Amino acid sequence: MLRVCLKGANSAARKCLCGNGVPLHPLQQCRSYTSGGSGSSAGKIVAASVLTMGGGVGGTILYANWDPKFRANVEKSIPYSDQVFGLALGPAAPPPVINKPRKVEPVQISSMSEVWKDSKQPKAKEVQRKAEQPDAEGPPAPAPQETLEGEACVFVAMILSAEQNVLSVFCIPLAAAKCTECEHEPAVKERPEGEVAARLAEQDKAEQDLLTSLSSNLEDALGSTAKVTLQAIGAQEAALQAIAQHTRQLREAMEAEAPPDKKSTQWRVLEDALSERSRSVDEAGAAVLKAKAELDKLRGVIDGAKHLKIAAARPSILAAEENLHSMVVDLDSVVTRVQTAQSEAKIVSQYSELVNEAKAQFQKELNSITPEIQANWKGLTGKLTQDDLNSLIAHAHRRIDQLNRELAEQRVREQIHIDSALEQQKLEDKKALEVAISTALEHNREQMRLEQEKKVEETREVMEAEMRTQLRRQAAAHTDHLRDVLKVQEQELRSEAEEILNSSLMEKETEYRRLTQDQLDSFTLDMNAAYARLKGMEEAIDSHVIAEEEARKAHQLWLSVEALNYTLKTAALNDPTEPLEGAVQAIKESCAEDEFAQALATALPSESLSRGVYSEASLRARFYTIRQLARRVALIDETRNSLYQYFLSYLQAMLLFEKAQEAPPAKLSAEDLDTFKLLSYAAYSLEHGDLELAAKLVNQLKGESRRVAQDWLKEARLTLETKQVVSLLSAYANAVGLGTTMAP
Amino acid sequence: MAEEQGRKWDRCLADSAVKLATGLGVGIVFSVLFFKRRTWPVVFGLGVGLGMGYSNCQQDFRSPYLLHGHMVKEQ
């Protein structure tokens, strides 16, 4: 082609240059032109190719720099490109690993545990803090424990203690005790009501007893003290009276100027009065002491009663205290009265003493001056002389002067004495005042205390009443609640009982039903069994009849199948058998009801019916010609089917020698599918009478050999089918016959 | 089917012989008439005949394997 082109080019060149008339040079020129052209064009080609190569490589590198996936692809596909890329661009960036979700889980778990720990810590802190409080308050609360129960109990105790700061310490040990109970027992038992009531009743009784004893004690004490005090007061009054009497009498004696014998009687009366007075004063004193002792005793009793702290006894105690106070007051007043009276009496007695003394003094002086004048000088008017009178008057004047002087002196002294006495009196008054004030204060204080106590008592009463009402209300609420709860419980229990009743009733019913059903079932079973047996017997008889019928039919079938078999044997060497139609028709008539036989009869290929089938021997004979032919066209198939291939195939058949017969293996491998081998296997199996295997092997031929063997195969198939059907039929007939003969 | 091969060969050979003879004849005619009794048209004719026969034979042998395409008109 190239030579032609070149020749064409040369001739064209020659022609165009022939016109110019230079024959030889253009050839050379042309040659040099073409060679030069070819030389420069080669260089150009080389340059262009180098340029494209470089451009391609550079472009690849640039794109790989931009797109890492492309780079990875190129590295995978082209062996040393990763080194090149490494040199040019540096190492590839590693792909980002996505494992965040994995890490989230452990974080979560740890956070959960932390949260739980955190939540536990404040709890522990709280527990600690609250644990301190009860320690400060009362007995130590149980230490915070690990179990939830303990904690709850502790919490309860804490809360209780925290809330019950106002309440007495009594409660906390109770809560703690209760908590300890909770630890040991799952539920705190409430003391039974009867016990509580009994306890309360006991307490009440004890109180009552105490109260009665106390009141009786108080009353006794009061009574005795009152009596004694009254006695004392009476005595004091008597003393007062006596003192007053005595004082009066004394004064009378002082002032009255009675004749001597009256005076002596007076004096005697005075002495009696004095003695009376002293006696009564002593008595009064003793009575006062006794009264005071009794009062102290009463006070002691009252204090004792106070210590018992029974609320109900308070009013009586208060009353007793009041009585005591009043008695004390009366006693004191009386005592003060007696004392004043006594002081007055003392003054009067002092005055009387003074007067007596003065009188005695005067008497003595008079006696000293006028010894003969006697005491009763009032009736002495006629006996005295003028001298005596003058001396007496002088004495009297002197006495008057003296007395005046004395009087003045006395006045001054009196003044002083008065002052001092006043002062003393002031002091004494002050003292007495103080004493009186103190006693009054005491009395007042006592009074106020008593009033306060009374008020307290009243408020207490009021509070008690209110508390009682509240308690009554609470009790009422409690009873209501109890009633409700009881009602609910009753409902529940009732419903439960009903349920149980219903369920047990239903159980019994179902039991009964089951039993009846069982009875029924067993009866039905018996009946069914009897019926079944009857039926069985009837069926047996029927089946006998049927069996005989079947036997007859089977015999017929068998005969017809035998006929068919016989027809198969009528094949001549190279001709097919007679057409099987007649025999098949006979079969079909003989077994009109038998579906299986009908199906089989119709399963025979139509060709065998109309034309008949070839025998095995004829097929075997035909096979050899087929074999030859197949060998000859072994190389021909769809792709190779030119005449040249035919020639080659013929050559092969001539030159290739295979075994005439070879035993086919159990499994065909790929190399066994060679035409020649297959044909030798088929020949072997045919010689050994296995038409089926031969047909299978021939079926494995491919291409032209297959086409050539096609009608032999068809014939072989027909024969095989017919034979199969016939053998099935005969087997069936035999089986049926056997079956019928074996029937009961 | 087995005889088909034989039949084909018969046909083929007969046809090739005919073609050969025809080619020869035409060659001779052309050679005598137009090409001044040269040999080459005869040989050419023989070759043409042989070639045609060969081709027909091949076609005949290939005929079962040839696929014929049909235009399916959409209806």
Side-chain angles (χ1 to χ4, degrees):
Chain A
M1 222 36 180
L2 194 62
R3 249 184 281 152
V4 168
C5 286
L6 274 172
K7 264 191 192 163
N10 276 335
S11 61
R14 221 191 299 150
K15 268 191 186 153
C16 73
L17 285 172
C18 269
N20 292 344
V22 186
L24 280 167
H25 284 280
L27 250 160
Q28 284 177 350
Q29 269 186 356
C30 281
R31 239 182 263 140
S32 67
Y33 180 72
T34 51
S35 65
S38 70
S40 66
S41 67
K44 273 190 200 163
I45 286 164
V46 164
S49 62
V50 162
L51 212 65
T52 41
M53 278 275 290
V57 165
T60 317
I61 289 173
L62 274 172
Y63 188 61
N65 189 23
W66 186 67
D67 186 9
K69 268 195 207 162
F70 174 73
R71 179 174 174 166
N73 278 339
V74 167
E75 280 178 3
K76 253 195 291 185
S77 49
I78 301 171
Y80 290 100
S81 57
D82 53 349
Q83 286 182 7
V84 172
F85 280 136
L87 278 172
L89 303 171
V97 179
I98 304 166
N99 57 2
K100 275 175 199 168
R102 250 191 292 133
K103 278 185 187 165
V104 170
E105 280 177 15
V107 166
Q108 274 182 355
I109 290 163
S110 67
S111 71
M112 280 288 287
S113 66
E114 271 178 19
V115 161
W116 190 65
K117 237 195 287 174
D118 283 337
S119 70
K120 211 172 180 228
Q121 271 177 5
K123 261 197 226 171
K125 274 189 202 158
E126 244 188 67
V127 158
Q128 277 177 7
R129 194 167 46 82
K130 285 207 171 167
E132 287 170 4
Q133 278 184 2
D135 283 337
E137 282 179 6
Q145 290 168 0
E146 291 304 317
T147 62
L148 268 171
E149 216 178 323
E151 270 189 10
C153 274
V154 160
F155 266 131
V156 162
M158 297 313 164
I159 290 163
L160 275 173
S161 66
E163 282 178 354
Q164 287 172 5
N165 276 332
V166 181
L167 294 176
S168 62
V169 179
F170 186 78
C171 295
I172 291 171
L174 184 67
K178 273 203 172 160
C179 199
T180 50
E181 276 179 16
C182 281
E183 285 172 19
H184 296 306
E185 300 164 2
V188 174
K189 279 192 291 179
E190 230 185 63
R191 283 194 231 131
E193 223 181 279
E195 211 183 297
V196 167
R199 249 210 165 95
L200 278 172
E202 268 181 40
Q203 271 182 1
D204 282 341
K205 207 151 64 88
E207 260 189 45
Q208 283 290 341
D209 291 340
L210 265 173
L211 193 71
T212 44
S213 67
L214 197 72
S215 51
S216 60
N217 273 355
L218 275 172
E219 274 172 26
D220 291 340
L222 260 174
S224 60
T225 17
K227 216 171 29 173
V228 167
T229 319
L230 278 170
Q231 265 181 13
I233 287 172
Q236 293 282 357
E237 290 278 327
L240 200 70
Q241 285 287 334
I243 289 168
Q245 172 115 3
H246 174 74
T247 319
R248 201 169 31 82
Q249 279 183 356
L250 198 62
R251 197 170 281 141
E252 270 184 29
M254 285 305 103
E255 288 178 4
E257 297 278 335
D261 51 348
K262 273 199 187 160
K263 212 98 215 202
S264 58
T265 50
Q266 242 182 8
W267 282 121
R268 233 179 288 125
V269 162
L270 213 60
E271 276 176 25
D272 287 340
L274 183 66
S275 63
E276 178 74 32
R277 170 188 148 184
S278 53
R279 193 181 51 81
S280 63
V281 162
D282 288 338
E283 261 184 31
V288 159
L289 280 171
K290 230 181 6 175
K292 275 213 161 63
E294 278 293 326
L295 281 169
D296 285 336
K297 212 168 48 170
L298 179 65
R299 197 173 282 133
V301 165
I302 287 173
D303 285 339
K306 267 201 216 160
H307 276 305
L308 284 174
K309 284 194 183 187
I310 298 169
R314 265 181 209 288
S316 51
I317 288 171
L318 267 175
E321 272 187 357
E322 264 183 36
N323 281 341
L324 178 74
H325 176 67
S326 61
M327 277 192 276
V328 162
V329 163
D330 289 337
L331 207 64
D332 284 342
S333 67
V334 157
V335 162
T336 43
R337 278 222 309 269
V338 163
Q339 274 179 357
T340 47
Q342 268 188 336
S343 66
E344 259 188 48
K346 211 190 309 182
I347 290 170
V348 169
S349 71
Q350 271 186 1
Y351 167 66
S352 74
E353 272 179 28
L354 269 172
V355 164
N356 280 341
E357 214 182 280
K359 265 196 185 155
Q361 184 86 13
F362 184 61
Q363 198 67 36
K364 238 182 1 189
E365 281 185 4
L366 211 58
N367 283 341
S368 72
I369 294 172
T370 52
E372 51 274 355
I373 298 173
Q374 282 158 27
N376 291 337
W377 56 275
K378 271 190 183 168
L380 235 66
T381 44
K383 287 181 187 175
L384 289 168
T385 56
Q386 208 163 14
D387 284 337
D388 284 334
L389 279 165
N390 284 346
S391 64
L392 198 68
I393 290 166
H395 178 72
H397 277 295
R398 259 199 308 241
R399 186 83 184 145
I400 287 166
D401 285 336
Q402 192 199 3
L403 280 172
N404 280 341
R405 262 187 304 209
E406 264 189 24
L407 192 70
E409 229 180 87
Q410 204 64 30
R411 253 196 213 126
V412 167
R413 222 177 273 147
E414 196 69 34
Q415 196 67 35
I416 294 167
H417 279 157
I418 280 172
D419 287 339
S420 67
L422 216 64
E423 274 176 28
Q424 224 177 26
Q425 192 65 31
K426 259 193 213 155
L427 280 169
E428 277 185 21
D429 272 351
K430 212 191 280 179
K431 255 189 241 149
L433 191 72
E434 275 175 13
V435 164
I437 284 173
S438 63
T439 44
L441 212 66
E442 277 291 324
H443 289 157
N444 239 8
R445 209 176 281 147
E446 196 68 25
Q447 187 89 19
M448 296 230 310
R449 194 180 62 78
L450 284 170
E451 274 182 22
Q452 192 190 26
E453 294 250 335
K454 229 194 289 186
K455 281 216 176 73
V456 161
E457 200 54 40
E458 277 172 24
T459 43
R460 198 186 291 270
E461 287 282 320
V462 168
M463 286 297 141
E464 282 274 341
E466 207 173 300
M467 189 177 226
R468 217 165 272 139
T469 49
Q470 293 291 349
L471 280 170
R472 236 179 279 137
R473 211 181 282 166
Q474 196 179 19
H478 182 61
T479 44
D480 281 342
H481 171 65
L482 272 176
R483 204 180 298 141
D484 290 340
V485 164
L486 278 170
K487 220 182 277 180
V488 165
Q489 231 175 22
E490 189 192 319
Q491 291 280 350
E492 276 178 22
L493 284 168
R494 189 166 291 162
S495 65
E496 228 178 85
E498 266 183 32
E499 216 176 280
I500 291 169
L501 182 70
N502 281 344
S503 69
S504 63
L505 211 72
M506 268 180 16
E507 257 178 53
K508 286 282 172 322
E509 220 175 281
T510 48
E511 188 75 29
Y512 171 70
R513 278 218 194 96
R514 196 175 56 77
L515 283 169
T516 48
Q517 196 64 35
D518 284 344
Q519 262 188 351
L520 255 163
D521 285 342
S522 62
F523 180 66
T524 320
L525 230 79
D526 290 339
M527 283 297 291
N528 283 344
Y531 187 67
R533 281 173 63 201
L534 182 67
K535 276 280 173 216
M537 278 196 289
E538 279 181 12
E539 265 181 38
I541 293 166
D542 286 337
S543 67
H544 265 288
V545 166
I546 289 166
E548 301 223 339
E549 184 70 30
E550 289 289 312
R552 196 183 54 79
K553 274 203 209 131
H555 200 66
Q556 235 174 344
L557 179 66
W558 189 80
L559 279 171
S560 46
V561 166
E562 279 301 303
L564 182 61
N565 248 338
Y566 186 71
T567 21
L568 269 181
K569 292 195 179 92
T570 60
L573 191 60
N574 281 324
D575 301 320
T577 59
E578 285 174 15
L580 307 171
E581 192 145 3
V584 169
Q585 203 61 38
I587 290 173
K588 281 195 185 163
E589 281 166 11
S590 69
C591 58
E593 304 92 27
D594 202 340
E595 280 178 16
F596 187 58
Q598 289 284 335
L600 282 175
T602 46
L604 279 168
S606 52
E607 295 234 345
S608 68
L609 292 176
S610 50
R611 195 200 59 181
V613 290
Y614 283 94
S615 66
E616 228 183 274
S618 61
L619 282 171
R620 199 162 52 223
R622 261 178 70 183
F623 180 70
Y624 288 102
T625 42
I626 297 293
R627 188 178 178 175
Q628 282 296 328
L629 218 56
R631 283 184 79 243
R632 258 190 242 153
V633 293
L635 271 180
I636 311 296
D637 59 12
E638 299 90 0
T639 51
R640 301 185 167 83
N641 50 18
S642 62
L643 272 177
Y644 179 60
Q645 295 290 342
Y646 271 93
F647 169 63
L648 286 175
S649 173
Y650 276 30
L651 199 62
Q652 186 190 38
M654 262 195 285
L655 294 175
L656 209 149
F657 295 102
E658 84 278 6
K659 280 194 195 159
Q661 291 163 21
E662 196 179 337
K667 273 194 192 173
L668 279 177
S669 58
E671 61 200 18
D672 290 332
L673 294 177
D674 178 42
T675 313
F676 297 99
K677 262 218 166 112
L678 279 169
L679 286 171
S680 57
Y681 289 155
Y684 178 86
S685 46
L686 258 182
E687 284 302 313
H688 285 86
D690 197 349
L691 182 59
E692 196 183 327
L693 188 57
K696 281 185 200 166
L697 288 162
V698 166
N699 197 25
Q700 295 303 319
L701 289 169
K702 292 224 171 2
E704 190 66 29
S705 339
R706 188 193 182 79
R707 280 190 62 243
V708 150
Q710 203 59 35
D711 56 330
W712 184 88
L713 204 55
K714 192 170 78 117
E715 288 301 320
R717 266 204 208 110
L718 269 174
T719 310
L720 282 168
E721 266 183 48
T722 317
K723 274 220 162 69
Q724 189 181 44
V725 170
V726 165
S727 68
L728 268 171
L729 269 170
S730 68
Y732 179 66
N734 281 336
V736 165
L738 211 65
T740 50
T741 49
M742 290 298 268
Chain B
M1 237 23 97
E3 298 88 27
E4 191 73 23
Q5 280 274 319
R7 264 183 256 128
K8 274 188 183 167
W9 274 119
D10 291 343
R11 267 208 304 274
C12 169
L13 284 169
D15 189 48
S16 292
V18 164
K19 293 277 184 316
L20 208 68
T22 318
L24 180 70
V26 168
I28 287 169
V29 164
F30 267 75
S31 160
V32 162
L33 284 179
F34 302 115
F35 292 107
K36 299 176 185 127
R37 292 179 186 239
R38 299 261 176 99
T39 343
W40 63 266
V42 180
V43 175
F44 186 69
L46 270 174
V48 166
L50 191 66
M52 284 202 290
Y54 183 91
S55 176
N56 276 355
C57 223
Q58 196 165 271
Q59 182 71 21
D60 194 15
F61 273 115
R62 269 188 191 169
S63 57
Y65 299 114
L66 278 176
L67 293 168
H68 298 279
H70 299 276
M71 248 331 237
V72 177
K73 281 191 194 160
E74 291 208 11
Q75 287 165 359

